Structure formats: C-alpha cells, structure tokens
C-alpha cells in the first residue's frame, strides 16, 4: 500500500458501501489517494474505511443519502473541512428496481429518479462551488450501458442514466476548469439486483450477473484511469462491459 503523498487526490465516493463504489474506494486508496466514503449503511462504510486505514491507506466515512441535498452538502463539508480541498467526486450511488412499465411501480420509478438522477445533481450542486473556487476539479458520473441500449424492464432506469450522460456533457461544455467523465458499466457482479422488487426481473438480472457479470474491480480500474490523466486531459466516457454482453 502506497502512503498518501502531496500528489494524492482527495476523492469523494457516493454509494461506497458495496459493489463498484466499495471496489473504487479500495482501489484508489491502495494507489495512495485519500478517499471519503459515503452511503446510508453507516456500519458498512465504517468497516471498509477501517480496513483501508489498517492496510496503510487514508479514508474517512460519513453517512450520505444522495436523495437529500442537505445530506450531500454535509458530506462535502466534512471532506472540505478535513482535507481543505476536494479533487474528485465519484457520483456512483444508484438503484435499479427494474420492471415492465405496465406494472406501474410508480414508487420504484420515483426512487430511481431520486437516487440515480437527483442524487447525481445533488452531488454536483454540493461540490461545484468548491471546485470552482479551487479552479479545478473532476466529477465522475457512473451511468450504464443502459444509457446506450434500451431494453424491456429497464425503461425508467435507462431514462435516468441517459439523463446523467446528457447533464454530464452539458456540464463539461460549460466548465473550462472542470473535468467531467461518464463511466458506463455493463453487467457487473454487485448487490444491485437486491434493489429489484419485481421477482421476475430480479431472477433474470441475478442470473445474467452470475453468468456473465464482470468484477466491480474492472469498473474501479476505469475510474482510476480517468482520474489518473493529466489535468488538461478529460476522459469523456468509458464503457466497460462483459465481452459476451449484447
Ligand atoms: P450496489 O447495489 O452494490 O451499490 C449501490 C450503492 O449505492 C450502495 O453503496 C448503496 O449504499 C448506494 N446507494 C443506494 N441508494 C443510496 C442513497 N439514497 N444514498 C446514498 N447511497 C445510496 O450496486 P453497484 O455497485 O452495481 O451500483 C453502483 C452504480 O453502478 C449504480 O449507479 C448503478 O446504477 C451502476 N451500474 C451498475 C451495473 C451493474 O451491473 N452492477 C451496470 C451499470 C451501471 P447504501 O444502500 O448503503 O446507501
């Protein structure tokens, strides 16, 4: 494990309690960056941050509900107060309660909009003033291959991820001193299927994940690649999916 150096970045990660967020926190900390883990399951992020520190890395954790702007602001404030700056925000938190639209699971639709879309916007709103003041920063938004290929049961989930791609491109064009990256994973083995309430969709997605899902570390490496580029190099979008995925 590398010790943090003056070149190590302060990196905030939403949804760091499992899957891609957890793998990203561990990967970036092992590379010497200072990571701040946010999620609702406090015990989980406390344990992961503790393990990172035990291995010689630097990590903080703070409860975060991305659906609430105030919660995101408190998360950002903690990191800024502790480290004095914020170099990167990885907007990773997401849910995927997939189902056919005619099931009218309107609560699930709203939940996806609240976490996958509003959550990303809240992250941007919380961190943008800090990055503007610094004159530099990097926002990495985790979208999905579902933003590129729309299939049954994924209509609303895809809509949130298409929106994340659109707002990322708009933000990039508006900001000359901000790097904006979209990382779009394909089927990745994580806990995401646990957020599906429709039993049929859950069984299908769980089977696909087991069959062809790639490890979360593959996405963490793509995020690390984008972060690791020089300040004048902005990686716009990286799509990482199983070779066998259609
Ligand atoms: P996981 O379910 O393993 O992780 C999701 C994370 O999001 C958890 O840490 C969870 O933490 C967090 N989260 C959910 N709701 C909130 C909330 N309101 N506030 C804060 N954190 C929240 O799934 P993945 O790792 O797969 O998901 C990460 C991202 O990757 C998501 O944006 C997902 O859409 C995207 N993705 C995943 C793919 C896959 O195949 N796995 C494919 C394409 C995209 P907690 O519950 O503790 O709050």
């Amino acid at each position: 494990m590398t010790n943090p150096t003056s070149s190590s970045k302060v990196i905030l990660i939403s949804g760091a309690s499992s899957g891609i967020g957890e793998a990203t926190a561990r990967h970036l900390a092992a590379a010497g960056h200072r990571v701040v883990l946010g999620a609702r399951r406090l015990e989980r992020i406390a344990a992961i941050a503790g393990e990172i520190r035990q291995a010689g890395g630097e990590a903080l954790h703070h409860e975060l509900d991305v659906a609430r702007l105030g919660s995101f602001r408190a998360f950002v404030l903690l990191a800024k107060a502790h480290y004095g700056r914020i170099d990167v925000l990885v907007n990773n938190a997401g849910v995927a309660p997939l189902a056919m639209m005619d099931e009218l699971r309107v609560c699930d639709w709203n939940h996806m909009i609240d976490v996958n879309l509003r959550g990303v916007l809240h992250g941007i709103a919380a961190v943008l003033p800090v990055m503007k003041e610094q004159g530099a920063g990097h926002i990495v938004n985790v979208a999905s291959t579902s933003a590129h290929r729309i299939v049954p049961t994924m209509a609303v989930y895809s809509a949130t991820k298409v929106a994340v791609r659109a707002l990322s491109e708009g933000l990039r064009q508006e900001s000359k001193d901000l790097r904006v990256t979209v990382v779009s994973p394909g089927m990745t083995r994580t806990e995401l299927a646990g957020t599906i309430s429709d039993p049929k969709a859950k069984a299908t997605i769980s089977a696909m994940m087991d069959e062809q899902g790639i490890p979360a570390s593959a996405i963490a490496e793509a995020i690390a690649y984008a972060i690791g580029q020089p300040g004048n190099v902005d990686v716009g979008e990286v799509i990482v999916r199983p070779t066998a995925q259609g």
Side-chain angles (χ1 to χ4, degrees):
M1 174 95 42
T2 318
N3 281 327
T5 65
S6 57
S7 65
S8 87
K9 294 186 173 174
V10 176
I11 302 174
L12 279 56
I13 304 162
S14 74
S17 59
S18 61
I20 292 167
E22 175 182 353
T24 301
R26 290 184 189 278
H27 186 82
L28 293 172
H33 297 293
R34 291 160 284 174
V35 294
V36 186
L37 289 74
R40 293 165 306 168
R41 286 172 294 178
L42 197 53
E43 341 70 58
R44 283 252 205 150
I45 48 174
I48 297 163
E51 283 172 27
I52 289 173
R53 284 193 297 271
Q54 256 184 354
E58 190 160 339
L60 291 180
H61 70 278
H62 193 269
E63 192 173 6
L64 170 65
D65 180 354
V66 298
R68 294 188 298 114
L69 177 59
S71 175
F72 225 132
R73 284 199 170 130
F75 179 63
V76 164
L77 219 68
L78 164 100
K80 176 79 165 58
H82 193 86
Y83 291 117
R85 61 179 294 109
I86 295 168
D87 298 301
V88 186
L89 168 64
V90 183
N91 265 322
N92 162 75
V95 292
L98 310 177
M100 300 293 274
M101 289 198 78
D102 63 7
E103 295 216 8
L104 302 181
R105 292 177 184 258
V106 178
C107 282
D108 283 348
W109 299 354
N110 287 332
H111 189 201
M112 283 185 274
I113 292 166
D114 284 343
V115 177
N116 302 0
L117 177 53
R118 281 204 180 88
V120 169
L121 288 168
H122 290 162
I124 291 168
V127 88
L128 202 53
V130 178
M131 292 181 172
K132 285 285 169 197
E133 196 189 339
Q134 292 170 175
H138 191 175
I139 294 178
V140 179
N141 292 328
V142 176
S144 170
T145 49
S146 308
H148 296 265
R149 184 164 177 268
I150 322 297
V151 297
T153 74
M154 294 199 189
V156 180
Y157 178 73
S158 292
T160 63
K161 297 300 189 176
V162 167
V164 167
R165 288 188 69 223
L167 67 90
S168 302
E169 177 59 10
L171 179 63
R172 185 191 71 75
Q173 292 191 24
E174 288 177 15
S175 323
K176 298 293 172 218
D177 49 3
L178 190 75
R179 296 197 290 164
V180 183
T181 300
V182 175
V183 173
S184 283
M187 199 58 73
T188 307
R189 275 196 309 277
T190 66
E191 298 179 11
L192 195 65
T195 63
I196 305 176
S197 47
D198 175 43
K200 217 171 127 196
K202 187 173 191 158
T204 308
I205 297 296
S206 298
M208 280 168 76
M209 268 190 187
D210 288 347
E211 244 171 63
Q212 54 171 234
I214 52 177
S217 58
I219 314 304
E221 290 197 22
I223 292 171
Y225 166 76
I227 291 172
Q229 297 308 299
N232 62 343
V233 177
D234 183 12
V235 177
E237 180 163 10
V238 186
I239 303 177
V240 183
R241 61 188 151 215
T243 307
Q245 182 174 325

